[in-house]
Each structure stands twice: as C-alpha cells, then as structure tokens.
Amino acid sequence: MKRRLFIASSALAAVGVHAQVADLNDAINKAGRQRMLSQRASKAYLALAQQVETRNAQQVLDKSIALFDKQLAELKAFAPTPAIRSTYDALDGTWIGFKQELTGSAPGKEIAARIVKLDAAVLALANQGTTQYEAASGKPVGRLVNIAGRQRMLSQRMAKFYLASAMQIDAAASTAEIAKARAEFLAGLETLRNAPEATAQIRQELVLADAQWMFFNRGLQRLEGAGTSPALMSDVFVTSENMLAIMDRVTGLYSDLKPRDPS
C-alpha cells in the first residue's frame, strides 16, 4: 500500500516540466525525457492490454502522450542548428504513426506486438536528438544530464519488456533486453554517484534509487522464476513508476547545475 501512495504523490511530479526550454541543460533533460516517454507509453499500453493497474496505466498513457506532444514542440522551437531541427522534424513524423497505434483501438495482443516494435524508431530519434543537444552543450555536466535522463528510459524499458514477456511477445528477446538494460542502468548509477559534480542532494536521491532498485529488480527477476501473475505485473508497474520519479529528480538536479569551464 505504501508503494501505491508513493506513486500517487511523486510519480506525477516526474512529468512536471517548465513552459519552455530554458537552456541547453534543460534541452538535454527534455530531449532525454522523450526517450523515456516512448517506453513509458508502451509499458502503459501493455499493462492495459493485460488489465494490469488499469486506472494508473490509462493515466500514464494519456499523460505520456500529452507530454511528448508538448515537449516535441518546445524542442523543435529551441533547436539551435538545422541538424537538430531536422531530427525533430523526423521524430514528429515517426511519433504520429506511433501515437495512432497507441490510441487507435482498444489494447490487444496483436497491436501490442506492433507497439513494442514501433517504439524503437521513436526511441532512436529521441536519443539522436538528446545526443545532439549534449554535443551542442559541450560541457561535462551535459553528459551527466544525458546519463541521468537515460536512467529514466531504462526503468521504463525494463518494465515494458517484463510486460511484453508476460504477454508472450517474443519472450526470449524481451528477457535479453531486460538483462541488457539492467547492466546499463547499474553502470549509470555508478557514474552518477561517482561524478565530481554530484552534490549531497544528488547523492541522497541516489541512495533512494538504490533502495527502490532492490524492489524493482526483485520483481523483474521473478520473470525468470515462477512466471508472472497480475499481482507481480502490478508490482513491476508501480516500482518502475517509483524509480522513474527518483531518476527524474536526479536528472533535474544535474540539469540545474551551472556548467563549469575547465580551469
């Protein structure tokens, strides 16, 4: 029950954003959030298709789509180079097709299988835009904002593939993708924890991330054991939202740091 209260109080804060892009760090943050939203929307769709956390999942899907639309417009308007603008023009077209699948009909296994494949193109372009914004920044803190932001995406990606495997959508590949994302997520935590730029507040949030990871990873590992059930899928859904909330705060804290020029 405590975990459900946590999702209600903090996961919604994870999608709070400014009205426009403030600077390059903020652009990296929001560009990286688009990666996360591609995976979060798919996760929510797969949950709905299996009638897991139905009310939460519908809210997550609706909010993810609305936020993606909003940030896409902001990132296109802020684009400082033609190359970055071109990336977001391409992302706009790819996103339209993906969104139509997400909203065009009642969730079902056949469409869910397409969703899992279609989100890859959205994720790739969103990642390309994030990398371009990081390069435009040219500051070490920009890389940390990117890494922290990517942790949000990985949390949703692991939960998505858990639900995909539970639905018997290429179960072997889904399990392999979870393992790959798990390894990257743990390496990302180490990088963020050991960064010279990490403040006491950032490290405190990362302690919370470590604790939440224990719950989340325990749920993920059950996929390899006795199988899945609605209760287990619900646990993974909720803990992935909790992890997202923490990593979104960490990304925001890194984004708010002032870049330091090499001395």
Side-chain angles (χ1 to χ4, degrees), residues 71-244:
Q71 290 188 153
L72 181 56
E74 293 172 0
L75 291 163
K76 285 175 68 175
F78 185 78
T81 67
I84 293 177
R85 178 60 189 244
S86 177
T87 294
Y88 284 96
D89 284 340
L91 179 56
D92 199 350
T94 304
W95 167 246
I96 288 172
F98 181 49
K99 183 167 63 171
Q100 287 174 343
E101 291 286 355
L102 288 169
T103 60
S105 59
K109 183 172 182 179
E110 183 179 344
I111 299 175
R114 293 205 300 269
I115 291 290
V116 171
K117 293 181 179 179
L118 284 172
D119 74 31
V122 177
L123 174 59
L125 284 167
N127 186 62
Q128 179 176 304
T130 311
T131 302
Q132 287 173 314
Y133 270 122
E134 181 193 333
S137 165
K139 304 293 183 181
V141 71
R143 173 176 172 270
L144 293 170
V145 176
N146 189 356
I147 292 172
R150 190 168 176 84
Q151 298 290 89
R152 298 175 299 197
M153 181 277 290
L154 292 169
S155 73
Q156 302 306 289
R157 187 169 176 82
M158 285 183 276
K160 178 196 79 173
F161 278 117
Y162 180 97
L163 293 171
S165 181
M167 207 171 186
Q168 294 300 306
I169 298 174
D170 205 347
S174 294
T175 301
E177 288 292 342
I178 292 172
K180 187 188 304 182
R182 179 189 282 118
E184 185 180 349
F185 186 87
L186 291 173
L189 285 179
E190 282 300 303
T191 297
L192 296 171
R193 185 180 296 112
N194 296 323
E197 294 86 350
T199 63
Q201 189 177 3
I202 287 172
R203 290 195 175 94
Q204 184 177 3
E205 290 289 351
L206 290 172
V207 170
L208 294 177
D210 286 337
Q212 190 59 220
W213 170 249
M214 290 175 58
F215 291 109
F216 185 34
N217 189 47
R218 187 180 304 160
L220 293 172
Q221 288 176 331
R222 286 172 179 161
L223 181 64
E224 302 160 11
T228 57
S229 69
L232 293 179
M233 288 188 278
S234 177
D235 282 347
V236 169
F237 187 98
V238 172
T239 53
S240 73
E241 288 291 298
N242 295 343
M243 181 62 76
L244 167 60

